[in-house]
């Protein structure tokens, strides 16, 4: 028995908890909102309004919608039946807040509120300000933000953008709402009577209306709020009617509702139905959260904005600069930056980085070029200085080469003087003496010319030349220096002309440096070993200059440093001759190296690409 009593107690506790939970769920379920629209469910304004409302309401709020379907149905019996239907449908589940969309729905609720939801607060949206001002003040729990359709503002824009317009055509229908719009427009257009002639096309059959619109001239603009019913009783939504008119009209068409954008009208000054829905949604959230209506700060009027169709701006040749900066322009093709903002941003960054890198590389290239030019200039200066130094070493040989022809000239001059003093007719001998003098003079002049060419400071002159011929030009000076030093000089040239691309003077300087080095190595040796051999070899596409001596050779530890600047094995040497030699050789695309065996003398080899072979170097 005790067990059964305990079980009954547990069951009672569980039932009590379930009832409490059910009440909580019921209280949560009571947070629902009913929206009552004036017109039918597919009216574009209703769809936009509800989209904004759903976007703003809390996710837990249940939203139901009903439609009075004005102006299709508006009889008293229909309204009574609609009242009874709504009362029965929501009797067990009344809304926490009632939202009414449009003037007709608000008027219906105010008339039948006691029969429907007497204590339920009402929030209105898309209700014209003129309607609210024409009736007694609303109850304290009926609030909202009124709307004003800016008919004159839209007409003003149309006349501004079409300055040649002399005629304003206004189109309306025959339903109650259509007649209310017509009455408002007849009052509004009076302010434009001194600028245009106004004509109303009210209540025409749609076919007749479209025919009239097709015949319009270029001096006309059309304004219309659309219509629900035409002159023969055909029912439309205003958007459908405006679409037909815009497609047929031979003049620009303007309208006051943002749901018309995309039908073919140019645009107008328009409120936004989606924004109205969001505004009402915020009011509903505040009310459900317990906010008192008196504490809510409501705007005086719903805002409007200029809305335009870019395609119609282009079609009717409207100056884009006349469009307000804050206008909402639809259907305008996005710019590359707007359409591909991320990609364009990345491309711009990459372009800037690449431009920076290119600029940096160009700057570095320019700086490097300046440095190369400076190095080249210094190398030329150094080579010239080296030639001057070599000239000092060759002073004896050069003096000997010049003194020989000068001495012969003097001897011949003395002989000629004696012949003239004898008084005999020895003209043939005098002619021979004059020929010898001329030959010796040319010989001395040639020595001086070659010396001047060798020592002159002149720009690098690159051209193909015969290496054999360049060596032959130096042969008299080298042989004279060899005789002065008592060194045997052996020149071995190729049978064919080996062509080398480069500067003849610089190549001759290479030969002089290597030949004098070899003669220095033979200094002080026995006569049998005082010998220097210079040879030229032509191997396929390479030219090789070989300078060989029979001196003491080069120590192995000195070979790696031999061509370094300021390194010398001579007691009086500056260490620049071989360094300059390597610089000049490499500038001509070649290479130079030394070989040596202990006590067997040294061999210097210079290798260049032949001018008629592949890989010809560019001048520097």
């Amino acid at each position: 028995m005790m067990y059964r009593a305990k079980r009954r107690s547990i069951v009672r506790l569980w039932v009590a908890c379930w009832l409490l939970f059910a009440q909580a769920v019921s209280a949560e379920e009571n947070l629902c909102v009913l929206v009552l629209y004036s017109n039918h469910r597919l009216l574009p304004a209703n769809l936009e309004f509800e989209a904004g409302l759903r976007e703003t309401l809390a996710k837990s709020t249940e939203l139901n919608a009903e439609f009075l379907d004005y102006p299709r149905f508006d009889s008293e019996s229909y309204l009574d039946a609609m009242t009874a239907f709504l009362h029965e449908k929501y009797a067990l589940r009344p809304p926490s807040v009632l939202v009414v969309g449009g003037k007709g729905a608000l008027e219906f609720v105010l008339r039948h509120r006691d029969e429907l939801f007497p204590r339920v607060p009402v929030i209105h949206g898309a209700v014209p300000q003129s309607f609210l001002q024409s009736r007694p003040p609303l109850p304290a729990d009926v609030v909202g933000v009124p709307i004003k359709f800016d008919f004159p503002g839209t007409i003003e824009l149309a006349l501004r953008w079409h300055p040649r317009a002399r005629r304003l055509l206004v189109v309306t229908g025959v339903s109650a709402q259509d007649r209310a719009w017509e009455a408002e427009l007849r009052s509004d257009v009076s302010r434009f009577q001194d600028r245009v002639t106004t004509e109303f096309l009210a209540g025409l059959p749609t076919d007749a209306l479209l025919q009239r619109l097709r015949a319009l001239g270029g001096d006309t603009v059309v304004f219309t709020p659309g219509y629900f019913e035409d002159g023969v009783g055909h029912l439309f939504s205003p958007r459908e009617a405006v679409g037909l008119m815009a497609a047929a009209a031979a003049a620009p068409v303007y309208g006051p509702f943002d749901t018309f954008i995309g039908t073919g009208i140019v645009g107008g000054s328009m409120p936004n139905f989606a924004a109205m829905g969001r505004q009402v949604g915020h009011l509903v959230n505040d009310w459900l959260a317990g906010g008192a209506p008196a504490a809510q700060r409501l705007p005086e009027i719903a805002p409007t904005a200029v809305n335009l169709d870019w395609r119609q701006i282009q079609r009717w040749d409207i100056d884009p600069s006349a469009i307000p900066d804050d206008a909402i322009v639809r259907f305008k093709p996005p710019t590359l930056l707007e359409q591909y903002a991320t990609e364009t941003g990345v491309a711009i960054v990459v372009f800037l980085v690449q431009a920076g890198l290119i600029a940096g590389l160009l700057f570095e290239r320019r700086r490097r070029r300046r440095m190369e030019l400076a190095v080249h200039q210094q190398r030329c200066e150094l080579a010239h200085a080296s030639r001057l130094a070599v000239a000092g070493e060759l002073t004896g040989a050069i003096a000997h080469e010049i003194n020989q022809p000068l001495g012969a000239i003097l001897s011949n001059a003395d002989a000629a003087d004696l012949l003239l003093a004898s008084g005999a007719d020895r003209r043939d001998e005098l002619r021979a003496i004059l020929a010898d003098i001329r030959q010796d003079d040319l010989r001395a002049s040639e020595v001086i010319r070659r010396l001047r060419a060798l020592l002159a400071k002149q720009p690098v002159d690159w051209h193909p030349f015969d290496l054999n011929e360049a060596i032959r030009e130096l042969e008299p000076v080298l042989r004279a220096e060899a005789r002065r030093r008592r060194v045997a000089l052996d020149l071995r040239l190729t049978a064919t002309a080996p062509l080398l691309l480069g500067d003849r003077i610089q190549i001759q300087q290479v030969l002089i440096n290597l030949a004098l080095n070899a003669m220095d190595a033979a200094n002080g040796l026995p006569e049998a070993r005082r010998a220097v051999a210079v040879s030229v070899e032509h191997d396929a596409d390479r030219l090789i200059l070989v300078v060989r001596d029979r001196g003491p050779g080069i120590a192995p530890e000195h070979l790696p440093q031999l061509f370094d600047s300021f390194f010398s094995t001579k007691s009086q040497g500056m260490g620049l001759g071989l360094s300059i030699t390597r610089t000049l050789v490499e500038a001509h695309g070649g290479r130079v190296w030394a070989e040596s065996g202990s006590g067997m003398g040294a061999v210097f080899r210079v290798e260049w690409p032949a001018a008629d072979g592949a890989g010809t170097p560019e001048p520097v």
Side-chain angles (χ1 to χ4, degrees):
M1 295 295 291
M2 291 179 63
Y3 173 76
R4 291 180 179 176
K6 185 175 181 180
R7 187 173 65 178
R8 282 197 297 271
S9 298
I10 294 173
V11 170
R12 290 193 189 101
L13 180 62
W14 183 85
V15 170
C17 292
W18 183 85
L19 289 174
L20 290 174
F21 176 76
Q23 291 176 357
V25 171
S26 176
E28 180 69 22
E29 289 179 349
N30 283 335
L31 294 178
C32 63
V33 175
L34 173 62
V35 185
L36 182 61
Y37 293 97
S38 300
N39 309 107
H40 62 83
R41 69 176 59 249
L42 296 181
L43 190 72
N46 292 344
L47 298 176
E48 293 287 331
F49 182 91
E50 186 163 333
L53 180 62
R54 289 184 180 275
E55 178 186 330
T56 311
L57 287 180
K59 300 301 181 184
S60 59
T61 303
E62 178 184 341
L63 184 65
N64 298 309
E66 301 292 344
F67 302 86
L68 295 178
D69 210 3
Y70 287 163
R72 296 171 186 265
F73 306 101
D74 58 358
S75 66
E76 287 298 325
S77 59
Y78 166 75
L79 296 178
D80 291 339
M82 192 67 177
T83 302
F85 166 73
L86 293 175
H87 176 76
E88 289 296 327
K89 183 175 181 178
Y90 294 96
L92 298 179
R93 194 172 169 76
S96 302
V97 175
L98 177 61
V99 174
V100 293
K103 177 187 74 173
L106 178 60
E107 190 174 27
F108 171 79
V109 167
L110 292 176
R111 285 178 57 189
H112 300 279
R113 189 180 184 193
D114 292 338
E115 305 166 56
L116 292 171
F117 317 110
R119 290 179 298 276
V120 175
V122 178
I123 298 176
H124 64 79
V127 176
Q129 186 183 50
S130 57
F131 169 74
L132 296 175
Q133 292 173 343
S134 67
R135 62 172 322 284
L138 299 176
D141 59 351
V142 178
V143 298
V145 179
I147 187 174
K148 179 175 177 58
F149 297 115
D150 192 9
F151 295 167
T154 298
I155 296 172
E156 177 64 38
L157 290 174
L159 297 180
R160 183 190 310 165
W161 292 333
H162 304 280
R164 298 180 181 177
R166 297 293 178 265
R167 184 182 177 208
L168 173 64
L169 196 65
V170 182
V171 181
T172 57
V174 298
S175 73
Q177 179 61 69
D178 298 334
R179 290 194 297 271
W181 282 339
E182 180 186 351
E184 185 175 352
L185 279 164
R186 287 188 181 277
S187 173
D188 289 336
V189 299
S190 60
R191 69 182 70 180
F192 304 106
Q193 62 184 359
D194 59 337
R195 298 168 59 183
V196 291
T197 300
T198 304
E199 179 182 356
F200 278 80
L201 298 181
L204 291 180
T206 298
D207 290 342
L209 171 64
L210 298 182
Q211 187 174 357
R212 291 283 299 275
L213 294 177
R214 291 188 186 98
L216 294 178
D219 63 341
T220 305
V221 292
V222 179
F223 177 86
T224 179
Y227 50 77
F228 288 97
E229 185 178 353
D230 71 357
V232 293
H234 293 157
L235 300 178
F236 300 86
S237 72
R239 178 184 169 90
E240 292 172 341
V242 167
L244 293 173
M245 286 187 275
V253 179
Y254 287 81
F257 308 131
D258 70 331
T259 53
F260 289 178
I261 297 295
T263 61
I265 71 165
V266 177
S269 177
M270 306 167 172
N272 184 277
F273 288 102
M276 295 180 213
R278 288 191 290 270
Q279 195 170 54
V280 168
H282 289 303
L283 295 177
V284 171
N285 289 336
D286 292 343
W287 205 302
L288 293 178
Q296 297 173 0
R297 298 180 180 179
L298 302 179
E300 186 176 325
I301 198 82
T304 60
V306 176
N307 287 259
L308 297 167
D309 187 329
W310 178 255
R311 299 167 300 184
Q312 304 307 317
I313 292 173
Q314 293 183 308
R315 176 186 177 187
W316 301 109
D317 197 24
I318 297 173
D319 183 6
S321 64
I323 298 173
D325 293 337
D326 58 350
I328 301 171
V329 181
R330 313 271 186 91
F331 307 108
K332 184 176 182 180
T335 63
L336 179 65
L337 184 60
E338 293 169 342
Q339 188 172 8
Y340 302 103
T342 302
E343 294 84 349
T344 304
V346 172
I348 290 174
V349 170
V350 171
F351 174 78
L352 291 176
V353 170
Q354 287 184 336
L357 289 175
I358 292 171
L361 290 173
L362 289 175
F363 175 78
E364 182 64 23
R365 180 180 180 274
R366 184 178 179 184
R367 188 176 70 87
R368 180 178 176 183
R369 184 62 178 168
R370 285 201 304 266
M371 292 178 63
E372 288 177 348
L373 290 174
V375 170
H376 176 72
Q377 182 65 27
Q378 291 173 357
R379 185 178 66 207
C380 292
E381 295 284 352
L382 192 58
H384 181 247
S386 175
R387 290 199 296 273
L388 293 177
V390 168
E393 293 186 41
L394 296 175
T395 300
I398 293 170
H400 176 73
E401 285 295 302
I402 294 176
N403 283 333
Q404 274 190 341
L406 291 178
I409 290 172
L410 182 59
S411 299
N412 282 314
D414 290 340
D417 188 47
L418 292 174
L419 288 176
L420 289 174
S422 67
D425 185 7
R426 302 174 70 176
R427 279 182 273 184
D428 291 339
E429 293 181 35
L430 287 173
R431 288 192 186 95
I433 289 172
L434 289 175
D436 289 341
I437 291 174
R438 185 179 296 107
Q439 183 178 358
D440 289 332
D441 181 82
L442 292 174
R443 177 181 169 190
S445 297
E446 183 65 16
V447 172
I448 294 173
R449 184 192 66 77
R450 291 173 182 173
L451 181 61
R452 290 183 61 186
L454 183 64
L455 301 182
K457 185 178 181 181
Q458 54 189 354
V460 178
D461 181 20
W462 279 64
H463 62 274
F465 65 91
D466 184 349
L467 182 57
N468 284 347
E469 185 62 31
I471 294 174
R472 289 192 189 99
E473 286 183 359
L474 289 180
E475 182 177 0
V477 176
L478 292 178
R479 288 197 180 279
E481 182 66 15
R483 286 194 299 270
R484 188 178 70 84
R485 299 188 184 206
R486 297 181 181 179
V487 174
L489 178 63
D490 182 16
L491 295 181
R492 301 174 187 176
L493 306 181
T494 60
T496 58
L499 292 181
L500 175 61
L501 178 62
D503 184 88
R504 177 191 294 257
I505 299 299
Q506 290 186 356
I507 298 302
Q508 288 178 335
Q509 185 174 353
V510 169
L511 174 59
I512 292 174
N513 286 350
L514 296 179
L516 292 182
N517 258 8
M519 292 180 190
D520 287 341
N523 188 37
L525 294 178
E527 184 177 353
R529 295 182 58 185
R530 291 200 301 270
V532 173
V534 177
S535 62
V536 176
E537 300 174 6
H538 193 176
D539 180 14
D541 59 348
R542 312 295 291 179
L543 297 180
I544 302 173
L545 173 66
V546 181
V547 179
R548 186 188 309 268
D549 65 67
R550 299 180 62 187
I554 304 169
E557 64 272 16
H558 291 162
L559 281 174
Q561 302 172 276
L562 199 58
F563 294 95
D564 293 347
S565 298
F566 306 109
F567 174 80
S568 178
T569 58
K570 304 174 187 177
S571 58
Q572 301 297 324
M574 294 181 61
L576 291 176
L578 290 180
S579 174
I580 293 172
T581 297
R582 181 177 64 178
T583 300
L584 296 177
V585 170
E586 291 178 351
H588 287 74
R591 64 190 185 102
V592 58
W593 69 97
E595 300 170 354
S596 178
S598 179
M600 300 297 294
V603 179
F604 286 82
R605 298 183 187 274
V606 183
E607 185 179 78
W608 292 291
D612 55 350
T616 299
E618 294 293 334
V620 294

